[in-house]
DNA sequence: CGCCAGGTTGATTTCGCTCAAGCAATGTGG
DNA sequence: CCACATTGCTTGAGCGAAATCAACCTGGCG
């Protein structure tokens, strides 16, 4: 338990174990010291805003621990989660790279420790080390591919399929294995947020959940969902739709 | 009419008038000569493939004249247009930057002249001139924002709204003004392609078109569409949906 | 205790998908 | 030149999924 001070995430970039898992992994030791030099670290409570729409983009953030929801505002003014970032993920770099005000908001979903690096330092690092730019480029292209895939899927798939897919996404970060070997998930969001993520209303989601329980594919209780038949769930999603 | 040889697009990068309007605008004269050194130029007939899914990404393309459809394959194997590129646009850089095989296809929609620049030269330029990387980065981030905007809109809007929005997109590149001052568009795609772009079926689009004619918002005849009431069309789209 | 936010359920309607048929324009082969 | 297939588009009828509007729980909190 008693971890050595320097190896705790969110305390020092140089010894941070997470650095190998994100875009900073291409930095040299000297560059990492530069990073550490401007690093600030903050604690956020569940529900706190990390940044909000319209603010200037002052730097990038790095999740030392916890979960952060990136939300986009729809035409009616609702903040809809577009993706969740976790442990070791860097976020907030898009507004920074473009030098524009925040177009998304970021909100801690649980008590989280988050590091911050100033814009000027990131820009310096980008100039010094071209590989860093490549890292971000790869990340953005991957995001873009995801967005396009999702666009194609949303056009064809039912809300039920989209929701099942969302559950599977959560499985990787929020999934646990119960004593009997079955998987369960502690959902990080309210029904309303879940519904908006698949582009539907909470009433519809409620009905979908009801039908999933009837079918024995899932058992919901509050924000916990058990998935006793994960195999048939996977089978249901991967069935391609028959287009003309 | 008799334009000076060097100022015709698709003949020589150094004097190409389009270069100021795309990502190459940040190149120095020496760098532009390097570009020109590897440039190849091809003529494509309407319907010809520029590249196809699965091919290695050998370089980037630049539209000297014509229109090219970038298509993505859906789960059922249909090539659905994701965006059209025009005069001066550079395309095919994503696969190249990531060094992966083509995940999209590109098809000329009308007789088109398209230049090609080899991967190695692009990589050299990217290393020499960091501003070029920035240009592509900006472009990709903009594409990503677009994709996210579209995701949000698709979740809420009716097929009719999505189609109207698509028509407006075409207006900028395919729009003309008739003698009476009204706008008309020469559509670059078949009904089937238009339908798939808004994520619906041919039949549904046909009905939407019928209703638009009833409402007096548009008159279709083959691939030509007149928009006599552009103002009310704009008003219809911008009306935000009332979310709970 | 009343109030409120988050969630569920019910009744109704609207929208768009599906399967079909029909039609015009174009192409093809005898 | 005609019989026939093919392709692109339109139209019709039926149906199912989901939006809408509404009532109604339930637990937390002042």
């Amino acid at each position: 338990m008693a971890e050595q001070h320097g190896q705790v995430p969110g305390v020092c970039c140089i010894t941070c174990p997470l650095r190998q898992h994100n875009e900073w992994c291409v930095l040299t030791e000297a560059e990492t010291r530069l990073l550490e030099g401007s690093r600030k670290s903050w604690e956020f409570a569940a529900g706190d805003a990390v940044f909000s729409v319209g603010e200037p983009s002052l730097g990038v953030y790095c999740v030392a621990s916890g979960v952060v929801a990136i939300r986009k505002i729809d035409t009616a003014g609702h903040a809809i989660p577009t993706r969740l970032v976790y442990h070791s993920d860097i976020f907030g770099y898009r507004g920074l790279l473009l030098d524009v005000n925040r177009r998304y908001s970021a909100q801690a979903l649980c008590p989280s420790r988050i590091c911050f690096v100033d814009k000027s330092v990131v820009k310096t690092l980008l100039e010094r080390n071209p590989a860093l730019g490549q890292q971000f480029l790869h990340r953005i292209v991957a995001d873009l591919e995801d967005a396009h895939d999702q666009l194609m899927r949303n056009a064809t798939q039912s809300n039920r399929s989209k929701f099942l897919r969302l559950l599977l996404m959560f499985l990787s970060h929020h999934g646990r294995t119960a004593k009997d070997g079955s998987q369960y998930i502690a959902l990080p969001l309210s029904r309303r947020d879940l519904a908006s993520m698949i582009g539907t209303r909470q009433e519809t989601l409620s009905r979908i959940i009801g039908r999933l329980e009837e079918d024995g594919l899932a058992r919901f209780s509050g924000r916990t969902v058990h998935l006793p038949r994960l195999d048939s769930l996977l089978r249901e999603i991967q069935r391609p739709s028959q287009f003309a």
Side-chain angles (χ1 to χ4, degrees), chain A:
Chain A
M1 283 295 145
E3 239 176 327
Q4 192 185 330
H5 173 79
Q7 297 183 357
V8 177
V11 172
C12 171
C13 294
I14 297 156
T15 55
C16 181
L18 304 180
R19 197 167 55 81
Q20 294 312 316
H21 300 102
N22 61 31
E23 284 80 358
W24 305 134
C25 67
V26 296
L27 297 186
T28 65
E29 215 181 302
E31 286 161 353
T32 308
R33 271 195 294 274
L34 192 60
L35 198 66
E36 168 63 17
S38 94
R39 201 197 93 252
K40 290 185 188 102
S41 184
W42 290 312
E43 296 280 351
F44 291 89
D48 286 356
V50 180
F51 60 76
S52 303
V53 172
E55 292 177 11
S57 302
L58 303 174
V60 298
Y61 300 83
C62 188
V63 183
S65 70
V67 187
V68 174
I70 310 297
R71 309 179 107 110
K72 186 166 169 63
I73 310 294
D74 74 0
T75 41
H78 297 99
I80 295 176
T82 60
R83 97 170 178 273
L84 303 187
V85 291
Y86 301 94
H87 191 250
S88 93
D89 285 340
I90 295 173
F91 66 96
Y93 55 88
R94 250 187 290 166
L96 178 132
L97 291 172
L98 289 186
D99 247 323
V100 296
N101 288 354
R102 297 291 181 197
R103 292 204 263 252
Y104 296 76
S105 64
Q107 179 196 33
L109 293 182
C110 63
S112 305
R113 166 169 284 269
I114 292 164
C115 293
F116 169 84
V117 178
D118 192 75
K119 176 161 84 171
S120 62
V121 172
V122 179
K123 296 234 158 179
T124 305
L125 289 172
L126 279 171
E127 281 165 25
R128 274 207 209 170
N129 190 338
L132 186 61
Q134 283 288 312
Q135 288 284 319
F136 282 115
L137 201 62
H138 280 227
R139 163 79 176 271
I140 295 178
V141 174
D143 285 354
L144 185 53
E145 299 274 320
D146 277 354
H148 274 151
D149 285 344
Q150 210 180 326
L151 268 170
M152 307 274 292
R153 276 198 307 269
N154 285 2
T156 339
Q157 286 188 167
S158 65
N159 282 336
R160 173 172 166 135
S161 299
K162 288 188 243 171
F163 182 55
L164 288 179
R165 211 171 261 280
L166 187 63
L167 286 181
L168 282 183
M169 271 195 44
F170 287 142
L171 198 57
S172 59
H173 280 102
H174 302 276
R176 298 278 158 73
T177 305
K179 286 166 198 160
D180 65 351
S182 71
Q183 303 274 352
Y184 69 96
I185 304 174
L187 295 173
L189 292 167
S190 70
R191 303 287 150 114
R192 178 182 290 265
D193 277 336
L194 294 176
S196 67
M197 282 187 85
I198 60 172
T200 189
R201 302 308 201 78
Q202 58 180 336
E203 299 98 308
T204 304
L205 179 59
S206 193
R207 283 178 238 274
I208 290 171
I209 286 174
R211 261 172 268 148
L212 288 178
E213 299 218 327
E214 276 176 32
D215 298 352
L217 279 178
R219 275 176 295 125
F220 288 78
S221 127
R223 289 198 175 183
T224 304
V225 46
H226 285 258
L227 302 173
R229 308 266 314 127
L230 204 55
D231 50 340
S232 46
L233 197 154
L234 283 164
R235 218 175 315 122
E236 177 169 337
I237 297 183
Q238 277 153 11
R239 181 166 41 215
S241 70
Q242 66 294 351
F243 228 96

